PDB file of all heavy atoms in Angstrom:
ATOM      1  N   PHE A 197     102.329 104.769  93.763  1.00  0.00           N
ATOM      2  CA  PHE A 197     102.087 103.590  92.941  1.00  0.00           C
ATOM      3  C   PHE A 197     101.102 103.872  91.812  1.00  0.00           C
ATOM      4  O   PHE A 197     100.685 102.940  91.115  1.00  0.00           O
ATOM      5  CB  PHE A 197     101.569 102.449  93.827  1.00  0.00           C
ATOM      6  CG  PHE A 197     102.503 102.115  94.948  1.00  0.00           C
ATOM      7  CD1 PHE A 197     102.290 102.638  96.224  1.00  0.00           C
ATOM      8  CD2 PHE A 197     103.608 101.312  94.732  1.00  0.00           C
ATOM      9  CE1 PHE A 197     103.162 102.350  97.260  1.00  0.00           C
ATOM     10  CE2 PHE A 197     104.493 101.023  95.753  1.00  0.00           C
ATOM     11  CZ  PHE A 197     104.273 101.549  97.029  1.00  0.00           C
ATOM     12  N   HIS A 198     100.771 105.148  91.636  1.00  0.00           N
ATOM     13  CA  HIS A 198      99.834 105.518  90.582  1.00  0.00           C
ATOM     14  C   HIS A 198     100.424 105.189  89.212  1.00  0.00           C
ATOM     15  O   HIS A 198     101.496 105.683  88.843  1.00  0.00           O
ATOM     16  CB  HIS A 198      99.511 107.017  90.666  1.00  0.00           C
ATOM     17  CG  HIS A 198      98.623 107.494  89.554  1.00  0.00           C
ATOM     18  ND1 HIS A 198      97.292 107.146  89.469  1.00  0.00           N
ATOM     19  CD2 HIS A 198      98.883 108.274  88.474  1.00  0.00           C
ATOM     20  CE1 HIS A 198      96.761 107.699  88.397  1.00  0.00           C
ATOM     21  NE2 HIS A 198      97.711 108.382  87.774  1.00  0.00           N
ATOM     22  N   ASP A 199      99.760 104.326  88.485  1.00  0.00           N
ATOM     23  CA  ASP A 199     100.222 103.890  87.166  1.00  0.00           C
ATOM     24  C   ASP A 199     101.623 103.305  87.225  1.00  0.00           C
ATOM     25  O   ASP A 199     102.390 103.381  86.264  1.00  0.00           O
ATOM     26  CB  ASP A 199     100.165 105.052  86.163  1.00  0.00           C
ATOM     27  CG  ASP A 199     100.196 104.563  84.714  1.00  0.00           C
ATOM     28  OD1 ASP A 199      99.757 103.425  84.463  1.00  0.00           O
ATOM     29  OD2 ASP A 199     100.686 105.311  83.836  1.00  0.00           O
ATOM     30  N   ASP A 200     101.989 102.745  88.375  1.00  0.00           N
ATOM     31  CA  ASP A 200     103.332 102.197  88.540  1.00  0.00           C
ATOM     32  C   ASP A 200     103.303 100.870  89.308  1.00  0.00           C
ATOM     33  O   ASP A 200     104.225 100.559  90.051  1.00  0.00           O
ATOM     34  CB  ASP A 200     104.239 103.208  89.251  1.00  0.00           C
ATOM     35  CG  ASP A 200     105.718 102.961  88.959  1.00  0.00           C
ATOM     36  OD1 ASP A 200     106.032 102.104  88.127  1.00  0.00           O
ATOM     37  OD2 ASP A 200     106.564 103.639  89.600  1.00  0.00           O
ATOM     38  N   HIS A 201     102.209 100.121  89.154  1.00  0.00           N
ATOM     39  CA  HIS A 201     102.162  98.769  89.689  1.00  0.00           C
ATOM     40  C   HIS A 201     101.237  97.935  88.816  1.00  0.00           C
ATOM     41  O   HIS A 201     100.420  98.482  88.063  1.00  0.00           O
ATOM     42  CB  HIS A 201     101.722  98.749  91.152  1.00  0.00           C
ATOM     43  CG  HIS A 201     100.263  99.008  91.384  1.00  0.00           C
ATOM     44  ND1 HIS A 201      99.686 100.254  91.244  1.00  0.00           N
ATOM     45  CD2 HIS A 201      99.251  98.170  91.738  1.00  0.00           C
ATOM     46  CE1 HIS A 201      98.385 100.171  91.527  1.00  0.00           C
ATOM     47  NE2 HIS A 201      98.100  98.918  91.823  1.00  0.00           N
ATOM     48  N   VAL A 202     101.407  96.629  88.891  1.00  0.00           N
ATOM     49  CA  VAL A 202     100.638  95.722  88.041  1.00  0.00           C
ATOM     50  C   VAL A 202      99.997  94.635  88.890  1.00  0.00           C
ATOM     51  O   VAL A 202     100.382  94.408  90.048  1.00  0.00           O
ATOM     52  CB  VAL A 202     101.529  95.060  86.962  1.00  0.00           C
ATOM     53  CG1 VAL A 202     102.148  96.103  86.047  1.00  0.00           C
ATOM     54  CG2 VAL A 202     102.604  94.187  87.613  1.00  0.00           C
ATOM     55  N   LEU A 203      99.029  93.949  88.291  1.00  0.00           N
ATOM     56  CA  LEU A 203      98.415  92.774  88.900  1.00  0.00           C
ATOM     57  C   LEU A 203      98.816  91.556  88.083  1.00  0.00           C
ATOM     58  O   LEU A 203      98.573  91.504  86.875  1.00  0.00           O
ATOM     59  CB  LEU A 203      96.891  92.909  88.921  1.00  0.00           C
ATOM     60  CG  LEU A 203      96.115  91.657  89.358  1.00  0.00           C
ATOM     61  CD1 LEU A 203      96.392  91.327  90.816  1.00  0.00           C
ATOM     62  CD2 LEU A 203      94.616  91.860  89.120  1.00  0.00           C
ATOM     63  N   TYR A 204      99.457  90.592  88.742  1.00  0.00           N
ATOM     64  CA  TYR A 204      99.798  89.334  88.092  1.00  0.00           C
ATOM     65  C   TYR A 204      98.651  88.372  88.343  1.00  0.00           C
ATOM     66  O   TYR A 204      98.494  87.825  89.435  1.00  0.00           O
ATOM     67  CB  TYR A 204     101.117  88.782  88.640  1.00  0.00           C
ATOM     68  CG  TYR A 204     101.526  87.470  88.014  1.00  0.00           C
ATOM     69  CD1 TYR A 204     101.895  87.408  86.668  1.00  0.00           C
ATOM     70  CD2 TYR A 204     101.554  86.294  88.764  1.00  0.00           C
ATOM     71  CE1 TYR A 204     102.267  86.211  86.087  1.00  0.00           C
ATOM     72  CE2 TYR A 204     101.932  85.092  88.192  1.00  0.00           C
ATOM     73  CZ  TYR A 204     102.285  85.058  86.853  1.00  0.00           C
ATOM     74  OH  TYR A 204     102.659  83.869  86.266  1.00  0.00           O
ATOM     75  N   GLU A 205      97.820  88.175  87.332  1.00  0.00           N
ATOM     76  CA  GLU A 205      96.557  87.452  87.490  1.00  0.00           C
ATOM     77  C   GLU A 205      96.725  85.956  87.282  1.00  0.00           C
ATOM     78  O   GLU A 205      96.136  85.371  86.378  1.00  0.00           O
ATOM     79  CB  GLU A 205      95.514  88.000  86.511  1.00  0.00           C
ATOM     80  CG  GLU A 205      95.192  89.476  86.714  1.00  0.00           C
ATOM     81  CD  GLU A 205      94.145  89.967  85.733  1.00  0.00           C
ATOM     82  OE1 GLU A 205      92.947  89.812  86.026  1.00  0.00           O
ATOM     83  OE2 GLU A 205      94.535  90.496  84.671  1.00  0.00           O
ATOM     84  N   SER A 206      97.512  85.356  88.131  1.00  0.00           N
ATOM     85  CA  SER A 206      97.708  83.922  88.020  1.00  0.00           C
ATOM     86  C   SER A 206      98.218  83.384  89.339  1.00  0.00           C
ATOM     87  O   SER A 206      98.940  84.077  90.068  1.00  0.00           O
ATOM     88  CB  SER A 206      98.716  83.587  86.911  1.00  0.00           C
ATOM     89  OG  SER A 206      98.933  82.195  86.817  1.00  0.00           O
ATOM     90  N   PHE A 207      97.833  82.182  89.669  1.00  0.00           N
ATOM     91  CA  PHE A 207      98.415  81.483  90.820  1.00  0.00           C
ATOM     92  C   PHE A 207      98.525  80.015  90.463  1.00  0.00           C
ATOM     93  O   PHE A 207      97.532  79.335  90.216  1.00  0.00           O
ATOM     94  CB  PHE A 207      97.560  81.648  92.078  1.00  0.00           C
ATOM     95  CG  PHE A 207      98.160  80.937  93.260  1.00  0.00           C
ATOM     96  CD1 PHE A 207      99.256  81.464  93.922  1.00  0.00           C
ATOM     97  CD2 PHE A 207      97.661  79.703  93.675  1.00  0.00           C
ATOM     98  CE1 PHE A 207      99.841  80.793  94.992  1.00  0.00           C
ATOM     99  CE2 PHE A 207      98.235  79.020  94.744  1.00  0.00           C
ATOM    100  CZ  PHE A 207      99.331  79.575  95.408  1.00  0.00           C
ATOM    101  N   ASN A 208      99.752  79.536  90.430  1.00  0.00           N
ATOM    102  CA  ASN A 208     100.012  78.151  90.065  1.00  0.00           C
ATOM    103  C   ASN A 208     100.778  77.418  91.156  1.00  0.00           C
ATOM    104  O   ASN A 208     101.591  76.537  90.878  1.00  0.00           O
ATOM    105  CB  ASN A 208     100.797  78.099  88.747  1.00  0.00           C
ATOM    106  CG  ASN A 208     100.012  78.694  87.596  1.00  0.00           C
ATOM    107  OD1 ASN A 208      98.891  78.274  87.325  1.00  0.00           O
ATOM    108  ND2 ASN A 208     100.580  79.694  86.924  1.00  0.00           N
ATOM    109  N   GLY A 209     100.520  77.816  92.413  1.00  0.00           N
ATOM    110  CA  GLY A 209     101.228  77.210  93.524  1.00  0.00           C
ATOM    111  C   GLY A 209     102.576  77.886  93.742  1.00  0.00           C
ATOM    112  O   GLY A 209     102.867  78.953  93.192  1.00  0.00           O
ATOM    113  N   VAL A 210     103.412  77.272  94.565  1.00  0.00           N
ATOM    114  CA  VAL A 210     104.748  77.799  94.832  1.00  0.00           C
ATOM    115  C   VAL A 210     105.513  77.901  93.516  1.00  0.00           C
ATOM    116  O   VAL A 210     105.455  76.988  92.678  1.00  0.00           O
ATOM    117  CB  VAL A 210     105.504  76.880  95.818  1.00  0.00           C
ATOM    118  CG1 VAL A 210     106.911  77.408  96.076  1.00  0.00           C
ATOM    119  CG2 VAL A 210     104.725  76.765  97.130  1.00  0.00           C
ATOM    120  N   VAL A 211     106.226  79.028  93.340  1.00  0.00           N
ATOM    121  CA  VAL A 211     106.920  79.265  92.066  1.00  0.00           C
ATOM    122  C   VAL A 211     108.176  78.401  91.994  1.00  0.00           C
ATOM    123  O   VAL A 211     109.239  78.763  92.509  1.00  0.00           O
ATOM    124  CB  VAL A 211     107.276  80.752  91.903  1.00  0.00           C
ATOM    125  CG1 VAL A 211     107.968  80.972  90.549  1.00  0.00           C
ATOM    126  CG2 VAL A 211     106.034  81.614  92.012  1.00  0.00           C
ATOM    127  N   LEU A 212     108.040  77.240  91.359  1.00  0.00           N
ATOM    128  CA  LEU A 212     109.158  76.311  91.217  1.00  0.00           C
ATOM    129  C   LEU A 212     109.588  76.142  89.774  1.00  0.00           C
ATOM    130  O   LEU A 212     110.560  75.445  89.490  1.00  0.00           O
ATOM    131  CB  LEU A 212     108.774  74.934  91.793  1.00  0.00           C
ATOM    132  CG  LEU A 212     108.351  74.922  93.268  1.00  0.00           C
ATOM    133  CD1 LEU A 212     107.946  73.511  93.680  1.00  0.00           C
ATOM    134  CD2 LEU A 212     109.465  75.444  94.166  1.00  0.00           C
ATOM    135  N   ALA A 213     108.866  76.776  88.854  1.00  0.00           N
ATOM    136  CA  ALA A 213     109.162  76.632  87.429  1.00  0.00           C
ATOM    137  C   ALA A 213     109.751  77.913  86.853  1.00  0.00           C
ATOM    138  O   ALA A 213     109.356  79.019  87.230  1.00  0.00           O
ATOM    139  CB  ALA A 213     107.895  76.254  86.660  1.00  0.00           C
ATOM    140  N   GLU A 214     110.697  77.748  85.940  1.00  0.00           N
ATOM    141  CA  GLU A 214     111.352  78.889  85.304  1.00  0.00           C
ATOM    142  C   GLU A 214     110.348  79.763  84.560  1.00  0.00           C
ATOM    143  O   GLU A 214     110.434  80.994  84.591  1.00  0.00           O
ATOM    144  CB  GLU A 214     112.435  78.397  84.350  1.00  0.00           C
ATOM    145  CG  GLU A 214     113.224  79.513  83.698  1.00  0.00           C
ATOM    146  CD  GLU A 214     114.311  78.980  82.775  1.00  0.00           C
ATOM    147  OE1 GLU A 214     114.432  77.745  82.646  1.00  0.00           O
ATOM    148  OE2 GLU A 214     115.042  79.800  82.186  1.00  0.00           O
ATOM    149  N   LYS A 215     109.373  79.130  83.894  1.00  0.00           N
ATOM    150  CA  LYS A 215     108.385  79.885  83.125  1.00  0.00           C
ATOM    151  C   LYS A 215     107.587  80.831  84.019  1.00  0.00           C
ATOM    152  O   LYS A 215     107.307  81.965  83.624  1.00  0.00           O
ATOM    153  CB  LYS A 215     107.434  78.930  82.405  1.00  0.00           C
ATOM    154  CG  LYS A 215     106.372  79.644  81.562  1.00  0.00           C
ATOM    155  CD  LYS A 215     105.445  78.666  80.875  1.00  0.00           C
ATOM    156  CE  LYS A 215     104.435  79.399  79.982  1.00  0.00           C
ATOM    157  NZ  LYS A 215     103.615  80.374  80.727  1.00  0.00           N
ATOM    158  N   GLU A 216     107.229  80.367  85.211  1.00  0.00           N
ATOM    159  CA  GLU A 216     106.450  81.212  86.116  1.00  0.00           C
ATOM    160  C   GLU A 216     107.233  82.468  86.497  1.00  0.00           C
ATOM    161  O   GLU A 216     106.705  83.578  86.525  1.00  0.00           O
ATOM    162  CB  GLU A 216     106.069  80.431  87.376  1.00  0.00           C
ATOM    163  CG  GLU A 216     105.185  81.193  88.352  1.00  0.00           C
ATOM    164  CD  GLU A 216     103.716  81.144  87.996  1.00  0.00           C
ATOM    165  OE1 GLU A 216     103.375  80.633  86.906  1.00  0.00           O
ATOM    166  OE2 GLU A 216     102.904  81.631  88.791  1.00  0.00           O
ATOM    167  N   GLY A 217     108.504  82.307  86.785  1.00  0.00           N
ATOM    168  CA  GLY A 217     109.341  83.459  87.108  1.00  0.00           C
ATOM    169  C   GLY A 217     109.422  84.442  85.956  1.00  0.00           C
ATOM    170  O   GLY A 217     109.330  85.653  86.140  1.00  0.00           O
ATOM    171  N   LYS A 218     109.585  83.908  84.749  1.00  0.00           N
ATOM    172  CA  LYS A 218     109.654  84.764  83.565  1.00  0.00           C
ATOM    173  C   LYS A 218     108.332  85.484  83.321  1.00  0.00           C
ATOM    174  O   LYS A 218     108.312  86.646  82.908  1.00  0.00           O
ATOM    175  CB  LYS A 218     110.045  83.937  82.336  1.00  0.00           C
ATOM    176  CG  LYS A 218     111.491  83.476  82.343  1.00  0.00           C
ATOM    177  CD  LYS A 218     111.825  82.698  81.073  1.00  0.00           C
ATOM    178  CE  LYS A 218     113.287  82.306  81.036  1.00  0.00           C
ATOM    179  NZ  LYS A 218     113.623  81.524  79.811  1.00  0.00           N
ATOM    180  N   ASP A 219     107.216  84.791  83.581  1.00  0.00           N
ATOM    181  CA  ASP A 219     105.903  85.405  83.400  1.00  0.00           C
ATOM    182  C   ASP A 219     105.696  86.557  84.384  1.00  0.00           C
ATOM    183  O   ASP A 219     105.133  87.594  84.037  1.00  0.00           O
ATOM    184  CB  ASP A 219     104.803  84.362  83.589  1.00  0.00           C
ATOM    185  CG  ASP A 219     104.715  83.378  82.431  1.00  0.00           C
ATOM    186  OD1 ASP A 219     105.328  83.644  81.376  1.00  0.00           O
ATOM    187  OD2 ASP A 219     104.037  82.349  82.598  1.00  0.00           O
ATOM    188  N   ILE A 220     106.159  86.374  85.612  1.00  0.00           N
ATOM    189  CA  ILE A 220     106.045  87.442  86.611  1.00  0.00           C
ATOM    190  C   ILE A 220     106.883  88.641  86.188  1.00  0.00           C
ATOM    191  O   ILE A 220     106.438  89.790  86.252  1.00  0.00           O
ATOM    192  CB  ILE A 220     106.477  86.934  87.998  1.00  0.00           C
ATOM    193  CG1 ILE A 220     105.453  85.929  88.539  1.00  0.00           C
ATOM    194  CG2 ILE A 220     106.632  88.095  88.985  1.00  0.00           C
ATOM    195  CD1 ILE A 220     105.863  85.236  89.819  1.00  0.00           C
TER     196      ILE A 220
END
Side-chain angles (χ1 to χ4, degrees):
F197 303 98
H198 176 71
D199 198 27
D200 203 6
H201 74 287
V202 299
L203 172 66
Y204 180 67
E205 299 181 86
S206 179
F207 180 76
N208 297 305
V210 179
V211 181
L212 302 178
E214 183 179 0
K215 181 180 183 302
E216 183 83 353
K218 289 182 177 179
D219 287 347
I220 290 173

